[in-house]
Amino acid sequence: MFPEASIKRPPADALPLGAKIAILRTQDEFAVSASGFLPARHLAPLANHEPDFVAVAERFAGVPYLWGGKTSLGLDCSGLVQVALAACGNACPRDSDMQEKALGKPANLAGLQRGDLLFWKGHVAIALGRNSMIHANAFHMAVAIEPVAEALARIGAAGSQVTSVRRLK
């Protein structure tokens, strides 16, 4: 968000994906809110939703890990899942233990599919397919894409095993 209708000014604020903004009017290529000016082409009506929560999660690859984070400044594992699902219009609890209880139907590692959620005690990851996953984690200190087998081995060596796999569709 900018203090005036110019992208050459220092930003007044950085808004997270999914921020709800009341637009007062438009001016040139900007939407004007009570707090500042936003490039109008970066806004969408509330009724618009992203079609693929996995693709939304992938946009955050490389974002720093931040416990409790839910923005491009930093994310934790359950925040990544919550933000990605919310962008698609799907309600999602905040913490991984609540997500494990509330989301999807049981699935298994052998049949892992894109969009399946993998849960450990205090952690969640999103399957990108049978062999890779994305998750915000303290090992990489970032949102990272990695092979499922490597993550399972590393997390298992630290004493944690997968508690469930949940399929959302």
Side-chain angles (χ1 to χ4, degrees), residues 72-115:
S72 61
L73 298 175
L75 290 152
D76 68 9
C77 63
S78 56
L80 176 65
V81 171
Q82 187 182 45
V83 167
L85 285 171
C88 297
N90 299 313
C92 176
R94 176 60 181 99
D95 295 325
S96 62
D97 61 332
M98 294 184 282
Q99 292 172 352
E100 185 173 17
K101 291 176 185 168
L103 299 175
K105 297 176 183 168
N108 60 56
L109 280 172
L112 201 59
Q113 295 179 9
R114 179 181 172 84

Side-chain angles (χ1 to χ4, degrees), residues 61-74:
V63 167
Y65 173 81
L66 176 64
W67 188 82
K70 286 181 40 173
T71 73
S72 61
L73 298 175

Side-chain angles (χ1 to χ4, degrees), residues 45-70:
L46 289 174
N48 288 16
H49 298 293
E50 294 285 336
D52 179 3
F53 90 97
V54 179
V56 173
E58 289 175 306
R59 290 185 208 161
F60 288 97
V63 167
Y65 173 81
L66 176 64
W67 188 82
K70 286 181 40 173

Side-chain angles (χ1 to χ4, degrees), residues 94-149:
R94 176 60 181 99
D95 295 325
S96 62
D97 61 332
M98 294 184 282
Q99 292 172 352
E100 185 173 17
K101 291 176 185 168
L103 299 175
K105 297 176 183 168
N108 60 56
L109 280 172
L112 201 59
Q113 295 179 9
R114 179 181 172 84
D116 286 351
L117 300 177
L118 295 86
F119 290 94
W120 293 262
K121 182 175 172 43
H123 191 65
V124 60
I126 303 167
L128 298 178
R130 174 172 258 166
N131 299 313
S132 63
M133 61 186 231
I134 186 168
H135 59 142
N137 65 89
F139 179 79
H140 294 100
M141 286 306 294
V143 176
I145 294 172
E146 67 177 316
V148 171

